[in-house]
Amino acid sequence: MRTALVLEGGAMRGLYTAGVLDILLDNKIEVDAIYGTSAGVLFGVNYISKQRGRTIRYNKKYAADSRYMGMRSLLTTGNIINKDFAYYEIPFNLDVFDQKTFEQSTTKLYATLTNVRSGKVEYQEVKDVLEQMEVLRATSAMPFVSKMVTLNGEKYLDGGLTDSIPLKKCLDDGFEKVVVVLTRPKGYRKEKPNPFVAKIFYRKFPRLVEVINSRYAMYNKQIDFIENLEKLGKVLVIRPSEEKKLSRIEKNKERLQAIYDLGINDATNVIEKIKSYLSK
């Protein structure tokens, strides 16, 4: 029986996922693969490297640091999340990522990417986090506030634009037991955006404009799909049990801790259900 986790993105809301993953680590729950988008990948790597608490630790320590993220970085580098500090200085030097443990794991990791030219989703396996840091940047490069990331001559942005919750890809790849971790509470749906913003900002990339303007419909359809499978008992879904106010680049340590703690508590409440589901 092949098992997997599917991790939604959501920028700093992904700290909810980090809490859930730390409870899975506490209970020595392992899966065969992770399919993630954006923050789901950025924070999910620490589950595979078994670095419990790393996600909340470095985010609380550096979230308010202007070197990490914010308007200063956006104005000076074109990226609201600072490339050099967030993706290189922290994991290589300040809070070192355990690549050795990661590569020893049998759990595979797949990241979603949005090809800017084609407007299509692409999936890339991450085998070496430190060597493939640009893949992690690409899956999490938020539109409007991030530069496009170039990989093999192609330009990419946030994978969430084309596959916000890659459950269908996971199922198509043959995984039979899937735990889906969402970062929005039950009932959440995205609203239609102002179509002119993307048209103005990305006028040279018409397929990307189409993707951005139709993302809300894609996302809502994915949620409907997930909820239907959940009712049928075919997937197990963990989602925030309550709404927490949080900005995409939240800097308040108390709010960051609160969303992480919610993930801890929600996962603790269903941990026996998770064990039973995955072991059947």
Side-chain angles (χ1 to χ4, degrees), residues 19-260:
V20 172
L21 295 179
D22 281 351
I23 291 302
L24 298 186
L25 283 176
D26 288 346
N27 286 270
K28 295 180 171 53
I29 293 176
E30 297 185 3
V31 295
D32 297 310
I34 293 177
Y35 287 75
T37 295
S38 193
V41 177
L42 297 184
F43 301 161
V45 296
N46 297 310
Y47 165 81
I48 300 177
S49 66
K50 294 180 169 53
Q51 289 176 279
R52 191 199 193 283
R54 180 175 181 268
T55 304
I56 184 64
R57 181 176 65 241
Y58 75 74
N59 276 290
K60 283 181 67 177
K61 185 172 183 179
Y62 297 111
D65 191 321
S66 62
R67 295 174 297 171
Y68 185 47
M69 63 181 180
M71 289 305 298
R72 178 181 175 185
S73 177
L74 180 61
L75 293 173
T76 57
T77 71
N79 293 303
I80 200 161
I81 307 295
N82 188 275
K83 170 187 174 181
D84 294 333
F85 190 78
Y87 292 93
Y88 288 92
E89 185 65 16
I90 290 177
F92 281 83
N93 300 311
L94 300 179
D95 197 322
V96 178
F97 178 74
D98 188 351
Q99 173 59 35
K100 183 176 181 180
T101 298
F102 179 90
E103 64 188 25
Q104 288 174 343
S105 173
T106 58
T107 301
K108 295 183 179 297
L109 174 64
Y110 299 95
T112 64
L113 312 174
T114 296
N115 186 305
V116 170
R117 177 184 55 80
S118 69
K120 301 291 186 180
V121 64
E122 295 182 15
Y123 306 93
Q124 184 153 341
E125 183 177 357
V126 178
K127 297 181 178 181
D128 188 316
V129 171
L130 300 180
E131 287 291 329
Q132 295 178 271
M133 195 58 71
E134 291 301 286
V135 175
L136 271 66
R137 283 214 313 125
T139 188
S140 58
M142 295 182 284
F144 308 117
V145 292
S146 305
K147 287 183 176 180
M148 298 173 185
V149 178
T150 301
L151 298 170
N152 299 318
E154 293 284 346
K155 295 182 181 299
Y156 295 90
L157 281 176
D158 193 335
L161 296 174
T162 43
D163 196 351
S164 298
I165 312 164
L167 173 59
K168 189 175 185 303
K169 170 63 174 173
C170 177
L171 296 175
D172 287 346
D173 284 350
F175 290 89
E176 302 149 295
K177 290 286 184 176
V178 184
V179 176
V180 181
V181 184
L182 303 178
T183 55
R184 294 286 194 175
K186 193 174 182 64
Y188 174 80
R189 294 294 188 278
K190 288 190 180 297
E191 297 181 355
K192 186 176 182 179
N194 182 331
F196 296 107
V197 176
K199 286 181 180 179
I200 294 170
F201 207 90
Y202 293 117
R203 58 187 179 277
K204 295 181 180 179
F205 303 95
R207 290 178 181 173
L208 177 63
V209 172
E210 292 176 10
V211 162
I212 293 174
N213 286 336
S214 63
R215 185 198 177 190
Y216 79 101
M218 176 272 294
Y219 180 88
N220 294 342
K221 186 176 180 180
Q222 286 188 327
I223 292 295
D224 291 341
F225 176 66
I226 289 168
E227 290 184 351
N228 182 54
L229 291 183
E230 182 182 21
K231 289 177 183 177
L232 296 174
K234 293 186 177 181
V235 300
L236 192 152
V237 181
I238 305 174
R239 55 171 67 82
S241 56
E242 61 181 276
E243 183 67 72
K244 293 283 188 184
K245 287 190 65 176
L246 207 73
S247 74
R248 293 181 68 80
I249 56 165
E250 184 63 60
K251 297 175 180 292
N252 183 282
K253 291 183 180 181
E254 287 71 28
R255 288 182 179 176
L256 296 176
Q257 186 68 54
I259 192 68
Y260 171 79

